[in-house]
Amino acid sequence: RVLFRSGATWLEMSVETAPDGRTEYRQRVTFRPAGPAGHLYWWSQRLGHEVVFAVMAKRLVRAAERLGEARAG
């Protein structure tokens, strides 16, 4: 959990095995704005954060796939 003057942010990440055996990565960001400054911050930074978190998720998944392939031989 990260606290800013504009609000509080949580980043949740999880990895689970789906019923069909695939591995699923999930990422969720929660922001609780603190007053008008928090709302202004959220709306001004939202698109940038969406890009950053999407890239982060793709890189984490790619790294996990490479590690799995290396372990499998």
Side-chain angles (χ1 to χ4, degrees):
R1 181 175 129 172
V2 180
L3 296 173
F4 294 103
R5 289 185 181 169
S6 57
T9 304
W10 291 264
L11 173 60
E12 299 174 48
M13 297 183 283
S14 65
V15 178
E16 299 174 4
T17 302
D20 64 1
R22 294 180 306 120
T23 302
E24 292 183 351
Y25 170 75
R26 292 188 182 165
Q27 178 177 284
R28 185 171 88 165
V29 178
T30 303
F31 180 70
R32 294 227 172 115
H39 285 278
L40 179 63
Y41 170 81
W42 171 252
W43 290 108
S44 68
Q45 299 295 316
R46 185 173 177 200
L47 180 59
H49 283 122
E50 287 180 9
V51 171
V52 167
F53 290 123
V55 169
M56 183 174 74
K58 286 179 185 178
R59 289 183 178 177
L60 283 168
V61 168
R62 195 172 334 149
E65 288 171 344
R66 279 193 225 127
L67 181 60
E69 290 168 1
R71 287 184 176 171

